[in-house]
Amino acid sequence: MKPLPPVAVLAGAVLGLVAVTGCSTPVRNAGPLAATPSATTAPTEAAAPGGCPTAASLPLPKDFPADLPVPHGAVVTSVEHRPGDRLIVATVVRDGFDSALTFLQKQLPKAGYVLNEGEVEKDDAESNFSSPTVKGRWTLRKMPDCEGGVYLTYLTSAA
C-alpha cells in the first residue's frame, strides 16, 4: 500500500477534528447553570460580528423577582424556566466587568439580599444570594469579543 502524502494526512486530521468539535457557536452559559435542559427557552438575540448583542432586549419575565437589582442597560438575551420553579435569565451588560461586579456587590445587599459562597477571578465571578423569599446565584463572565461586554446570568427560585 502506498503511503499518503503529508497534505492528505493533515487534511484528514483537520476534518476529523471539525467533525468531533463541531462548528457551532460557544454556549453562553456553560457550567452549572446550563447543565440541566430547560423546559422553556426564549430565542437568544443576534450578535454583531464582534459578539455584542444587536437585537432589542427581551422583557424580564413576570416571575423574575421584582426587587432583584439588574444593572441599567442590561440586555436580556435569554430566559429559561427549569424544573423546580427555577428561572435563568441571561443578560449582557456593557459597562465593563469591574462596574458590573461592584453593582452586584453593592446593590443586592441594599435590596435585602445576602451574598455568600462567592469568588472573584480575573475574568469571571459568581456568588449565591438569598432573601426571605428568593434564593439564587449570579455569574459574571467577561465577553472576549465585545469591548466592555459582560455576561451576567441570574438563577433564581423561591426560598
Side-chain angles (χ1 to χ4, degrees), residues 1-52:
M1 189 159 117
K2 189 166 130 182
L4 292 173
V7 172
V9 173
L10 180 60
V14 169
L15 288 174
L17 185 59
V18 168
V20 170
T21 61
C23 294
S24 62
T25 56
V27 176
R28 289 193 173 171
N29 297 322
L33 296 182
T36 308
S38 66
T40 307
T41 303
T44 57
E45 88 297 331
C52 297

Side-chain angles (χ1 to χ4, degrees), residues 95-115:
D95 292 335
F97 181 84
D98 292 338
S99 177
L101 179 60
T102 299
F103 175 89
L104 292 165
Q105 290 175 330
K106 289 185 177 182
Q107 296 305 314
L108 269 70
K110 282 184 182 178
Y113 288 88
V114 175
L115 302 176

Side-chain angles (χ1 to χ4, degrees), residues 105 115-121 125-129 137-138:
Q105 290 175 330
L115 302 176
N116 59 38
E117 297 180 20
E119 71 174 1
V120 177
E121 296 177 1
E126 59 268 336
S127 178
N128 293 335
F129 59 85
R137 183 168 183 83
W138 57 258

Side-chain angles (χ1 to χ4, degrees), residues 139-158:
T139 62
L140 197 59
R141 309 262 186 279
K142 278 188 181 178
M143 296 177 68
D145 297 332
C146 180
E147 187 173 334
V150 182
Y151 295 121
L152 169 57
T153 304
Y154 294 93
L155 166 64
T156 61
S157 67

